[in-house]
Amino acid sequence: MEPPQFGLPPGAGTWPDRPSAFGIAVRRGRIALVEIGDPATQTWLALPGGGIEPGETPESALVREFAEETGLVVRPVSRLGPSSDRVVINDGRAFNVRGEFFTAVIRSEAPQLLTEPDHRLVWRTPLQALRGLHRESHAWAVAQWLRGLRARA
């Protein structure tokens, strides 16, 4: 079965692929998210993660991106699956973000690793995350994670 495709319609522009990795890490029943943007103007919520750089695996990209965006050091645990999202980012560039989604455990906090000044770590319940995540692919990943929890119960 093909991975789910979300986002803008294919005819709305050109969509070069952008391989990416995103993760779900939980502390005390809440999911680590990033609030992106300027609180005085506009913000949106996302799962921590981002583009896979040359030479990185999805797992190593997830660890790097989590640290840069949240100051949390994580270890990927299990793969939730892939999905794609056609998006236009802040500077107007369009991509088909081909995301690999993982669960991750938090190993430590390392605020000195933060490099994304417009990203702020926030904690939300799974339902708040589902309702608030900006990208459909991120909400899909949270739903996949919740379905896995239900299956293990």
Side-chain angles (χ1 to χ4, degrees):
M1 180 164 56
E2 286 291 312
Q5 174 71 62
F6 301 101
L8 298 168
T14 58
W15 305 99
D17 285 344
R18 179 65 169 128
S20 301
F22 301 94
I24 296 174
V26 178
R27 179 182 278 166
R28 294 188 285 280
R30 294 182 179 264
I31 298 172
L33 301 176
V34 286
E35 182 182 65
I36 305 168
D38 180 356
T41 56
Q42 181 181 12
T43 63
W44 59 94
L45 290 176
L47 290 172
I52 300 170
E53 300 298 332
E56 284 186 316
T57 65
E59 293 85 354
S60 63
L62 177 69
V63 171
R64 177 184 52 77
E65 287 281 351
F66 237 97
E68 291 174 356
E69 293 181 356
T70 69
L72 298 174
V73 178
V74 299
R75 179 178 55 83
V77 175
S78 62
R79 185 174 176 267
L80 291 168
S83 74
S84 297
D85 214 337
R86 289 189 223 47
V87 300
V88 177
I89 61 173
N90 296 355
D91 63 7
R93 293 180 296 154
F95 294 102
N96 190 23
V97 177
R98 296 211 178 265
E100 289 286 341
F101 291 86
F102 298 89
T103 62
V105 295
I106 300 166
R107 300 177 70 190
S108 63
E109 295 183 17
Q112 72 278 9
L113 298 177
L114 286 167
T115 61
E116 305 275 345
D118 66 338
H119 288 57
R120 289 161 303 284
L121 173 63
V122 297
W123 298 92
R124 299 291 186 266
T125 67
L127 184 56
Q128 290 169 327
L130 282 170
R131 288 180 174 160
L133 284 163
H134 181 69
R135 290 188 188 170
E136 293 175 78
S137 61
H138 292 207
W140 168 86
V142 171
Q144 293 298 105
W145 171 72
L146 287 169
R147 289 175 63 98
L149 293 177
R150 184 184 71 196
R152 290 190 293 275

